[in-house]
Amino acid sequence: MDELPIGRRVAYWRGRRKMSQQVFADRLGKSKSWVDKIERGVRRLDKFSVLYEIADILQIDVQLLLGKDPERRTDTMNCIDQVEVEEIRAALERYDSISAYFDAKPDPPPLADMGKAVTHAWLTYQYGRYGMLTRALPKLLRDAQAADAAYGGEQARRAANLLGQVYQIASSVLRKLGESDLSWLAADRSIAVAQRADDQLLAGIATTRVCNALLAMGRPRSALELNVRIADRIELGGGTDNRADRLSVYGILLLQGAMAAARTGDTSTVVDLLAEASDAARELGSDQNHYWTSFGPTNVELHRAAAAVELGDGGRAVEIHRTRIVNLPFDAMLPERRAHHLLDQARAYSQMGDMANAGEMLLRGDRLAASEIRCRPIAHEVMSEVLRRTRGAPPSPIAELAEHMGVGV
């Protein structure tokens, strides 16, 4: 198995920690030239005492310096590590708006540039590139908070809207990666900001982020009630927004309500909410991405299958995929949505005891959006089950994916 030279691994983690060679050298008590030679492989790094000191400065396990290519590990290129979690936490705990009330307002980025950065972040999320997104989030949060604190008048609502979106992006990716408390904090912030942005639909989408975080924290009943209550408000609302926008937000609230109901085992409510969402999707006409919802007829069926999995009916979930989703433009959906569905199918096959197909779904999902499979705790649980219940040695593609995921064979 090919491995990066140790100097390259040092350079990789130094870059990940956003340290210049000079800063790293100063902390290590070495010269910049020494660091440069180590990273280029000109000088050998063979003293364990120095390796442990480097690992301590970089805040990583020394085995990462001695082990495999970081691109093959779950805690490197594709996912998030604890240092990055703390950087995001620090950014979420900033209060630029109240500071600006007492002091000089921060120097904000232009709103046009912020808008482009937020759009790029949404697309990074919807293409399942979670590691890239989490590394960009701290700066994006700081910039959006600075803009929200600094701009006034008409620009204030636009700045608040962008900050609300950044909080939602943060909430979504943190939930995927198992950071439920931080996900809830970001989602809660997004609701308050959406109200200042005077955007009912942004607040509606923020509600789904809060409910997803509540669901991840084991509070499905609260998530169900909040999703349904705000869906009713959105349906009755008389805003001047685009009808397609309102249908999309209304529909996604219903779908998330259905998922929460499934977690409680409330089958009749699941059926009712999916039927209402299906009506909204039919009126919308096709799969669209208003307010970054990916809402439409196909997404309704993806949630129908996911709800069956949550209800413990893997056979029903597989049937939905084979008889309903196959006739819809599934391949046109964004990678995160498709990979998420394939993960749900893996869970369904696992419930049925069909480990071969469960593994195949994981492999297919990995090819679409590796982070959706390699980084999510629920995917690790499925892979562990596949390995445990497979007789004899697992097929080599499964064993290799398990190694990428850090799940023991």
Side-chain angles (χ1 to χ4, degrees):
M1 185 182 299
D2 292 338
E3 295 184 355
L4 286 177
I6 193 168
R8 289 274 304 282
R9 291 198 286 272
V10 171
Y12 167 81
W13 281 103
R14 177 182 60 75
R16 183 99 177 226
R17 299 297 180 243
K18 300 179 176 63
M19 288 186 203
S20 67
Q21 284 188 338
Q22 187 63 63
V23 169
F24 181 55
D26 291 345
R27 294 186 184 181
L28 195 57
K30 302 286 186 181
S31 68
K32 181 181 176 182
S33 174
W34 185 90
V35 171
D36 182 65
K37 289 176 181 177
I38 289 294
E39 292 185 350
R40 289 190 292 114
V42 175
R43 185 182 183 117
R44 294 184 64 185
L45 186 56
D46 50 12
K47 288 187 178 180
F48 277 99
S49 59
V50 178
L51 277 171
Y52 277 101
E53 190 174 359
I54 288 173
D56 185 58
I57 291 169
L58 296 176
Q59 301 181 58
I60 59 174
D61 192 301
V62 72
Q63 294 302 315
L64 287 177
L65 294 178
L66 297 170
K68 301 169 185 174
D69 180 344
E71 292 184 316
R72 297 177 62 84
R73 298 184 63 94
T74 57
D75 52 0
T76 58
M77 286 297 290
N78 292 326
C79 300
I80 190 171
D81 64 39
Q82 200 56 41
V83 171
E84 290 161 352
V85 169
E86 291 308 316
E87 288 179 355
I88 293 171
R89 186 188 304 278
L92 285 171
E93 290 174 351
R94 288 168 61 94
Y95 287 88
D96 283 356
S97 57
I98 190 64
S99 299
Y101 177 75
F102 292 101
D103 303 311
K105 294 181 179 179
D107 184 26
L111 287 182
D113 292 346
M114 273 302 308
K116 292 176 184 177
V118 171
T119 295
H120 183 265
W122 273 121
L123 291 172
T124 302
Y125 173 77
Q126 291 192 325
Y127 276 82
R129 296 166 183 164
Y130 304 149
M132 181 187 300
L133 180 56
T134 55
R135 288 190 287 280
L137 263 178
K139 182 178 186 302
L140 187 61
L141 282 162
R142 291 191 295 269
D143 286 349
Q145 289 163 338
D148 180 59
Y151 287 106
E154 274 300 311
Q155 291 181 313
R157 282 200 293 273
R158 174 61 174 159
N161 185 291
L162 290 171
L163 177 57
Q165 291 187 60
V166 174
Y167 281 141
Q168 290 191 40
I169 295 166
S171 177
S172 297
V173 73
L174 287 166
R175 178 183 58 84
K176 291 266 194 184
L177 300 176
E179 297 292 337
S180 302
D181 290 343
L182 275 185
S183 174
W184 180 86
L185 174 61
D188 187 64
R189 290 280 183 86
S190 73
I191 285 185
V193 173
Q195 292 174 15
R196 286 197 284 105
D198 193 25
D199 189 333
Q200 278 192 358
L201 301 187
L202 186 67
I205 291 299
T207 300
T208 69
R209 316 298 178 192
V210 169
C211 293
N212 282 338
L214 289 172
L215 205 57
M217 293 188 292
R219 297 172 60 189
R221 179 57 59 182
S222 296
L224 169 60
E225 292 172 356
L226 182 55
N227 271 313
V228 172
R229 185 164 69 249
I230 302 305
D232 289 343
R233 299 295 189 276
I234 295 294
E235 182 186 28
L236 296 173
T240 59
D241 42 76
N242 184 288
R243 176 64 177 168
D245 289 344
R246 185 165 290 271
L247 279 171
S248 297
V249 174
Y250 171 65
I252 207 69
L253 280 159
L254 294 173
L255 291 181
Q256 296 306 322
M259 295 305 300
R263 189 70 65 86
T264 69
D266 187 349
T267 303
S268 62
T269 298
V270 171
V271 171
D272 290 343
L273 292 175
L274 286 173
E276 291 181 50
S278 184
D279 289 343
R282 192 176 302 110
E283 183 177 345
L284 187 63
S286 62
D287 298 302
Q288 300 178 36
N289 202 18
H290 299 283
Y291 275 74
W292 306 100
T293 58
S294 294
F295 182 72
T298 305
N299 209 358
V300 170
E301 297 307 319
L302 299 188
H303 280 79
R304 193 184 306 279
V309 174
E310 291 297 336
L311 289 166
D313 192 350
R316 172 66 176 152
V318 170
E319 179 188 3
I320 290 168
H321 177 81
R322 290 176 174 172
T323 62
R324 301 175 75 114
I325 294 172
V326 72
N327 297 317
L328 293 166
F330 175 68
D331 289 342
M333 298 292 285
L334 288 157
E336 179 273 335
R337 283 281 77 219
R338 286 185 284 158
H340 188 145
H341 172 69
L342 292 171
L343 174 54
D344 285 334
Q345 287 293 293
R347 295 174 63 199
Y349 279 114
S350 179
Q351 289 175 358
M352 297 167 64
D354 186 344
M355 295 300 115
N357 271 315
E360 177 59 26
M361 293 299 107
L362 292 176
L363 290 170
R364 287 178 56 187
D366 183 67
R367 288 193 289 270
L368 272 173
S371 293
E372 181 70 15
I373 304 302
R374 302 185 188 194
C375 300
R376 296 196 60 190
I378 186 66
H380 286 217
E381 292 177 18
V382 178
M383 176 58 83
S384 295
E385 187 74 359
V386 168
L387 296 177
R388 186 179 67 83
R389 297 175 64 184
T390 297
R391 294 184 179 180
S396 58
I398 294 295
E400 185 176 354
L401 178 56
E403 182 185 351
H404 282 301
M405 296 169 71
V407 177
V409 178

